[in-house]
Amino acid sequence: MAHPFLKKLEQRIVRLSDQDFAVRLFSLEGLVTAASFLYKAGATLRLRLYQKNMFRQKRLDCPVISIGNMVAGGTGKTPMAVYLARLFLAMGKKPVVISRGYKGCLKEGFGIVGDGKDLLMDADAAGDEPFMMAAQKAFPVVVGKDRYQAGLAAVKRFNPDVIILDDGFQHVRLRRDLDILLFDHDRPLGNNRILPAGRLREPLETAAGRAGAVVLTRCPEHPAGRTFSDSPDRQAISQAFRSKPLFRTFHSPYLAQWVSAEGNHQKNLADLKGKQAVLWSGIAQNSSFSTTVENLGCRVAAHLEFSDHYRYTPSDIEMIREQLAKTGARLLVTTEKDWARMNFQTRWPCDLAVIGIQLRFDQEQAFKGFIRDFSLSLQRERRFE
């Protein structure tokens, strides 16, 4: 009996964290607000202890760049890590991406998900996002809850020119040379409350002192005269990070895979147009996936929404099949992240389109110049150490 109750309680807290709410005594709102004060105090104290060297940071014999955010949930950290890794590859560098391996089965030590050529772990062991990155077979990906130990292994195995931490902004135990902080354009600070009453992992003022650059994700491509600072939240971010470079990005969909029920066929995103489809997704912002598919001209007959990093069961597959029969749709569509968590041997009664997301910069040359300048300055600094 306790398990269903705790599950419902968790769902209520998650819903609250996405909303503006009034605090009442002897209520769930009051309880999570009190808990958020404790969380904020603990997070702030921890940062100060590192700043005063009472907790010692670990350093790797390799430059480290962190990609992270202040708000729990999806802001495009993984697409940003992939973009940055490919940028360094284009510069003739050897990058390695290190991830915590969230929701993976690895409990201790580290694991090499892929060496840039071959996949060495599956999504269940590595976590869906590290597996998704390693599946590109372009750069090595290493997972480990202790990012320092994972970094030592990466340095020893791959001798990289740079290590990229995926979701590493709050992992201050490992010293980094640059922190790139991501904000979602439309709701950059959530409901402005600290976990668990909101989605903020730390106060704005503590983050402002550590970030070296800010990247806005999911920006509208046609803002109709709007500027980033046209809301109180965006004004607060502009003020807090006024001395830091700020870049705008767009999320662009691409066809990661087309699984045909009748054999392999060459397809592209245009093949979704006019078709009726059943969608399923388990990501931080499921509604954004539905919007993306609709914008591609696909008619959404049903959208089965699951929690972020959800592990699919045979009964879930059957539910997807039932929705196909109920709606009469002849196409299935899911995300690249969800596809990584599926059994690839599953046979589907119709074609399945797998949609991935990649970042595009509004001023790409400016960002590339920023990274090149950072790389050159770091080389000069380390030459004289």
Side-chain angles (χ1 to χ4, degrees):
M1 295 296 291
H3 179 70
F5 170 77
L6 292 176
K7 188 67 176 177
K8 288 182 179 179
L9 180 62
E10 178 187 6
Q11 291 171 348
R12 284 188 63 193
I13 292 173
V14 169
R15 284 195 297 270
L16 275 178
S17 69
D18 278 328
Q19 303 169 357
D20 298 321
F21 59 84
V23 179
R24 303 188 306 273
L25 290 175
F26 309 112
S27 66
L28 180 61
E29 292 85 352
L31 179 64
V32 295
T33 300
S36 73
F37 279 114
L38 295 175
Y39 185 97
K40 178 180 178 180
T44 303
L45 175 61
R46 176 173 170 269
L47 287 171
R48 287 179 178 171
L49 290 173
Y50 273 107
Q51 289 167 354
K52 294 180 180 296
N53 290 322
M54 296 181 72
F55 286 171
R56 305 286 288 194
Q57 284 188 309
K58 302 284 189 177
R59 182 168 185 174
L60 296 172
D61 293 329
C62 174
V64 176
I65 299 178
S66 165
I67 308 295
N69 63 6
M70 283 180 51
V71 182
T75 54
K77 296 182 296 294
T78 298
M80 182 66 213
V82 171
Y83 178 94
L84 195 58
R86 288 191 174 277
L87 176 57
F88 277 111
L89 285 172
M91 294 167 56
K93 305 293 185 182
K94 296 184 297 180
V96 171
V97 174
I98 293 179
S99 173
R100 177 188 172 191
Y102 185 66
K103 292 290 186 178
C105 297
L106 189 68
K107 301 300 181 184
E108 297 180 354
F110 65 90
I112 297 173
V113 189
D115 60 8
K117 296 180 181 179
D118 298 308
L119 282 169
L120 305 176
M121 296 173 66
D122 61 19
D124 285 338
D128 47 23
E129 288 162 340
F131 177 84
M132 195 170 68
M133 290 188 285
Q136 299 195 20
K137 299 181 180 180
F139 46 84
V141 178
V142 180
V143 291
K145 289 182 172 57
D146 186 332
R147 255 64 73 88
Y148 174 65
Q149 292 298 327
L152 288 177
V155 169
K156 182 177 180 180
R157 172 77 179 266
F158 300 109
N159 189 29
D161 296 309
V162 60
I163 282 176
I164 299 167
L165 290 185
D166 180 25
D167 195 10
F169 190 67
Q170 283 75 32
H171 193 78
V172 292
R173 179 171 179 259
L174 177 57
R175 184 174 175 180
R176 67 286 313 276
D177 300 279
L178 175 65
D179 273 292
I180 299 177
L181 187 59
L182 275 54
F183 288 96
D184 180 87
H185 179 276
D186 289 337
R187 199 163 168 80
L189 300 179
N191 64 1
N192 277 280
R193 297 178 186 271
I194 304 289
L195 288 166
R199 294 292 185 100
L200 289 176
R201 292 170 165 176
E202 62 178 287
L204 192 62
E205 56 269 19
T206 62
R210 306 201 313 279
V214 174
V215 173
L216 314 177
T217 64
R218 297 194 181 94
C219 293
E221 294 204 45
H222 306 288
R226 290 184 297 160
T227 63
F228 175 69
S229 58
D230 63 358
S231 76
D233 283 0
R234 295 195 279 260
Q235 288 173 12
I237 292 171
S238 295
Q239 181 65 21
F241 299 93
R242 61 187 180 276
S243 63
K244 309 296 173 65
L246 185 148
F247 303 96
R248 289 166 43 91
T249 65
F250 316 114
H251 277 194
S252 294
Y254 67 93
L255 185 63
Q257 193 166 352
W258 188 286
V259 182
S260 177
E262 301 176 354
N264 293 326
H265 298 283
Q266 192 68 30
K267 298 286 185 176
N268 54 51
L269 287 179
D271 290 299
L272 274 72
K273 190 172 183 178
K275 290 185 170 60
Q276 187 179 28
V278 169
L279 280 57
W280 85 86
S281 62
I283 57 177
Q285 298 186 34
N286 285 307
S287 61
S288 67
F289 176 56
S290 182
T291 300
T292 295
V293 174
E294 288 174 342
N295 289 340
L296 292 171
C298 187
R299 293 179 289 122
V300 178
H303 184 188
L304 300 173
E305 300 183 26
F306 300 87
S307 59
D308 197 12
H309 302 282
Y310 183 80
R311 295 292 177 188
Y312 295 99
T313 66
S315 62
D316 297 321
I317 305 301
E318 186 57 34
M319 184 165 54
I320 294 169
R321 294 176 183 273
E322 289 172 359
Q323 283 297 317
L324 273 175
K326 180 180 179 180
T327 62
R330 296 303 303 157
L331 179 67
L332 290 166
V333 186
T334 192
T335 74
E336 188 177 18
K337 180 176 168 180
D338 288 284
W339 180 242
R341 299 193 297 269
M342 301 298 294
N343 181 349
F344 297 155
Q345 304 305 315
T346 301
R347 296 185 65 84
W348 302 99
C350 65
D351 285 5
L352 165 66
V354 181
I355 307 297
I357 292 294
Q358 57 190 2
L359 287 188
R360 288 192 299 109
F361 276 80
D362 181 30
Q363 296 181 318
E364 187 171 37
Q365 293 307 313
F367 181 75
K368 288 181 176 179
F370 170 74
I371 293 298
R372 288 193 184 98
D373 290 346
F374 160 77
S375 183
L376 288 172
S377 66
L378 200 59
Q379 288 176 16
R380 289 192 294 265
E381 288 175 13
R382 293 197 170 224
R383 190 179 303 151
F384 293 106
E385 285 184 352

